[in-house]
Amino acid sequence: MRKISIARFTRTLSALLGGGVPIIDALRITAKTAGNRVVENSVMAARERVMAGQTLGERLKDSGVFPPMVVQMVIVGEQTGALDNMLAKVADYYEDEVDVAVSGLTALLEPLLIVFLGVVIGGIVIAIYLPIFKVVTLVK
């Protein structure tokens, strides 16, 4: 869930900054779209500090919510003036991480689902044929 929230935050912030939205407004908007209350609160706190003239990267590091890689990419993006590109790269990375985790979880659940369905269908077959066998033994 944390990776999904970070990917959503970075993708939205990248799109907004790339579209020319001021960083203060972009942070307010992305805080609401993160989908996680902890991320939202830390982004809003960082927004307040950015309004006071501090850098976004340092504020995200102080929050402790964002991984060091995200913080470093934001710091580099701020220094080079390509924050939207760096955020897009972070979003790509975390979206790939989420895809790998979901596919691994799906691969793990498939055998369990097959066994469960086998037991259910076997129970239905036994429930259907058991009365038929009882009728056959009573007729003899």
Side-chain angles (χ1 to χ4, degrees), residues 82-104:
L83 183 58
D84 56 336
N85 292 333
M86 289 298 184
L87 288 170
K89 289 179 183 180
V90 170
D92 291 339
Y93 174 77
Y94 276 100
E95 287 169 354
D96 290 342
E97 288 279 318
V98 168
D99 288 342
V100 167
V102 168
S103 65

Side-chain angles (χ1 to χ4, degrees), residues 2-115:
R2 180 177 171 185
K3 289 179 182 180
I4 292 170
S5 297
I6 291 172
R8 190 177 298 152
F9 164 73
T10 55
R11 177 69 65 200
T12 306
L13 187 57
S14 171
L16 290 172
L17 292 176
V21 176
I23 192 164
I24 302 299
D25 296 332
L27 286 172
R28 181 180 43 79
I29 293 167
T30 53
K32 302 293 184 195
T33 62
N36 186 328
R37 182 67 70 188
V38 175
V39 172
E40 179 181 346
N41 291 340
S42 66
V43 170
M44 290 305 284
R47 177 180 177 266
E48 296 299 321
R49 296 289 184 103
V50 169
M51 286 174 54
Q54 297 177 353
T55 63
L56 177 62
E58 292 300 319
R59 296 311 104 214
L60 294 180
K61 185 195 305 186
D62 292 343
S63 72
V65 174
F66 295 92
M69 194 240 343
V70 174
V71 172
Q72 288 300 321
M73 293 290 276
V74 169
I75 291 171
V76 169
E78 287 178 325
Q79 291 173 351
T80 61
L83 183 58
D84 56 336
N85 292 333
M86 289 298 184
L87 288 170
K89 289 179 183 180
V90 170
D92 291 339
Y93 174 77
Y94 276 100
E95 287 169 354
D96 290 342
E97 288 279 318
V98 168
D99 288 342
V100 167
V102 168
S103 65
L105 184 61
T106 303
L108 184 68
L109 288 177
E110 283 177 0
L112 296 174
L113 186 60
I114 290 172
V115 168

